[in-house]
Amino acid sequence: MRISIIGTGYVGLVSGACFAQMGNNVTCVDIDQGKINKLIQGIIPIYEPGLEDIVVENYTKKTLGFTTDIAEAIVNTTISFIAVGTPMGEDGSADLQYVLAVAKSIGQYMQHHMVIVDKSTVPVGTAEKVRITIQAELDARESNLTFDVVSNPEFLKEGAAIKDFMHPDRIVIGADNDTAIQIMHDLYSPFMKTHDRFIGMDIKSAEMTKYAANAMLATKISFMNEMSNICERIGADINKVRNGIGSDSRIGYSFIYPGCGYGGSCFPKDVQALAKTAKDFGYIPRILDAVEAVNYDQKHVISQKVFKRFGKDLSNKIFAVWGLAFKPETDDMREASSITIINDLTTAGAKIVAYDPKARDEAESHYLYGNTNVSYVDSKYKALKDADAVILITEWQEFRSPDFYEIKNLLKTSIFFDGRNQFKKERMAEMGFEYFQIGVQ
């Protein structure tokens, strides 16, 4: 099929590359000429394992193209995906200005019947707004062209997005007619050779499915973090509790690891947007509000442990930070716990020496830009020299089995704050570390 994808961010670029990998002819569109120029040169604006290889491969084969001209992109395409950002507004709602701007352009330039697919994460009711926007432009043109609007939420995990797209757990499609459903089934059929994971439903239910899924996962994380805070106060060990409850097949082990809070582009934004939607319709979402409140507090837990150990005045203290990204295998720092922890500590006068395998540029250029108390190094051990303690925030693989003797030799004092509970407290004590975890006294 001939496909256009409007927006070359995380979702748009991964989707375009994977569709091209299956033999479709894909044109990706972005208003940022600089980004398009870099993509044409094979320079990928985000880090995602495996993405660069398939982008370069399919651009070379001419099954994947890049342009800033939306009219050129949609002229011969059957399906056009809207995959632009929906940033969080001040009131927690999703900002739809970019989605509707794309819809307006499609209405202005489409020349034949098209299927318009909402791939961006959008609130319930957005498909109807897209429909109204496109129809208004067609009416202004006095055009009788027809189109379908479809909801196709993405369920990609950063760090495993290519695998998730090529081997999906499910493909959710919301549409209001069987023809549109069949077109989308045909598009996705190469991704379902071993098992039909296609789930068709009405549009509003599809839009809601994405929010409900992310809210459920965020709820598990905040629930477990709340349990960890209780365990720490009563003398229980959250790591043992996790093993005890995770063995129950009704609960499972996924998303029940205690830590210093969730971040990223999805969970924080989607929980708040769903809560805002609920309130707009007269319902107070008490669980969602609690999930967000617990997560907000959890991002301060590690810094509070530091203050308890070193005092509120951290002048002349140096802390090594391992990990800046909100999770491993990505350079994404949106809503990352590291931002909160580092800002807490530097506000108290501390100096930070940070290391992350992929997110350094994001920190320096944006998320920690202007914080003169933060410096960066290119290896985990360089961060440790003469530091008063090390703080592990992101559970990158290279942090799982470090040389603890080297850590002790480099640190000024053998103090280890572990925001992801990577190690056993007893073993750390045997090696002479003063070790602080989440949910353990």
Side-chain angles (χ1 to χ4, degrees), residues 126-136 147-149 176 203:
T126 299
E128 184 58 27
K129 292 180 180 179
V130 168
R131 186 191 309 278
I132 290 170
T133 301
I134 295 174
Q135 190 60 56
F147 62 96
D148 293 303
V149 177
D176 58 9
I203 293 173

Side-chain angles (χ1 to χ4, degrees), residues 16-125:
C18 290
F19 280 131
Q21 187 73 1
M22 286 299 188
N24 297 286
N25 289 310
V26 181
T27 302
C28 290
V29 185
D30 203 287
I31 60 173
D32 186 338
Q33 184 67 62
K35 181 187 285 189
I36 292 298
N37 290 342
K38 287 183 177 180
L39 286 168
I40 289 172
Q41 297 167 33
I43 301 171
I44 310 303
I46 57 175
Y47 173 72
E48 179 63 38
L51 179 58
E52 181 177 346
D53 291 341
I54 62 172
V55 167
V56 171
E57 175 187 343
N58 285 284
Y59 181 76
T60 302
K61 293 193 299 187
K62 301 188 184 305
T63 53
L64 179 63
F66 302 101
T67 183
T68 58
D69 189 340
I70 191 170
E72 172 193 330
I74 69 173
V75 66
N76 291 317
T77 57
T78 306
I79 305 172
S80 187
F81 286 83
I82 301 176
V84 293
T86 53
M88 184 167 57
E90 292 184 4
D91 61 354
S93 62
D95 186 347
L96 297 178
Q97 63 171 311
Y98 304 113
V99 170
L100 297 181
V102 172
K104 182 175 182 177
S105 294
I106 290 173
Q108 290 171 340
Y109 298 118
M110 61 184 290
Q111 301 296 325
H112 51 81
H113 179 87
M114 294 181 66
V115 176
I116 314 302
V117 184
D118 282 335
K119 196 69 173 170
S120 302
T121 299
V122 293
V124 175

Side-chain angles (χ1 to χ4, degrees), residues 185-204:
H185 190 281
D186 292 345
L187 174 64
Y188 277 107
S189 60
F191 301 93
M192 304 182 291
K193 287 299 184 184
T194 58
H195 180 67
D196 192 341
R197 296 173 174 85
F198 191 92
I199 304 172
M201 59 182 71
D202 63 275
I203 293 173
K204 287 186 176 181

Side-chain angles (χ1 to χ4, degrees), residues 89-322:
E90 292 184 4
D91 61 354
S93 62
D95 186 347
L96 297 178
Q97 63 171 311
Y98 304 113
V99 170
L100 297 181
V102 172
K104 182 175 182 177
S105 294
I106 290 173
Q108 290 171 340
Y109 298 118
M110 61 184 290
Q111 301 296 325
H112 51 81
H113 179 87
M114 294 181 66
V115 176
I116 314 302
V117 184
D118 282 335
K119 196 69 173 170
S120 302
T121 299
V122 293
V124 175
T126 299
E128 184 58 27
K129 292 180 180 179
V130 168
R131 186 191 309 278
I132 290 170
T133 301
I134 295 174
Q135 190 60 56
E137 295 304 316
L138 292 175
D139 291 345
R141 293 167 52 189
E142 298 183 349
S143 171
N144 293 321
L145 289 174
T146 59
F147 62 96
D148 293 303
V149 177
V150 168
S151 174
N152 174 211
E154 55 85 14
F155 301 99
L156 306 177
K157 298 186 294 292
E158 291 193 46
I162 303 300
K163 178 179 179 294
D164 287 348
F165 202 103
M166 301 299 282
H167 307 282
D169 292 327
R170 76 282 207 198
I171 296 164
V172 173
I173 301 294
D176 58 9
N177 67 81
D178 292 340
T179 301
I181 288 279
Q182 187 60 53
I183 290 172
M184 296 303 294
H185 190 281
D186 292 345
L187 174 64
Y188 277 107
S189 60
F191 301 93
M192 304 182 291
K193 287 299 184 184
T194 58
H195 180 67
D196 192 341
R197 296 173 174 85
F198 191 92
I199 304 172
M201 59 182 71
D202 63 275
I203 293 173
K204 287 186 176 181
S205 295
E207 291 172 330
M208 183 64 178
T209 296
K210 169 66 173 180
Y211 279 107
N214 280 348
M216 182 67 206
L217 297 175
T219 299
K220 291 185 72 174
I221 294 171
S222 279
F223 174 84
M224 205 61 189
N225 282 331
E226 181 142 288
M227 292 303 102
S228 76
N229 293 327
I230 296 171
C231 284
E232 191 166 332
R233 285 158 177 79
I234 66 176
D237 184 332
I238 189 61
N239 301 304
K240 295 173 182 176
V241 173
R242 176 182 61 80
N243 285 330
I245 68 173
S247 58
D248 186 329
S249 61
R250 297 170 300 175
I251 297 173
Y253 289 101
S254 297
F255 290 87
I256 64 167
Y257 287 81
C260 45
Y262 60 75
S265 63
C266 294
F267 289 3
K269 176 170 68 75
D270 292 356
V271 169
Q272 292 184 46
L274 183 55
K276 176 64 166 56
T277 297
K279 292 169 185 175
D280 288 345
F281 282 82
Y283 181 78
I284 303 301
R286 289 167 291 179
I287 292 177
L288 295 179
D289 286 345
V291 166
E292 179 62 22
V294 168
N295 191 62
Y296 176 86
D297 290 342
Q298 197 69 18
K299 290 183 178 182
H300 296 277
V301 166
I302 286 292
S303 46
Q304 292 303 317
K305 288 179 180 290
V306 174
F307 293 139
K308 185 175 180 179
R309 173 61 180 78
F310 289 97
K312 291 295 181 73
D313 182 3
L314 299 179
S315 301
N316 302 316
K317 297 296 181 184
I318 300 172
F319 296 97
V321 165
W322 281 3

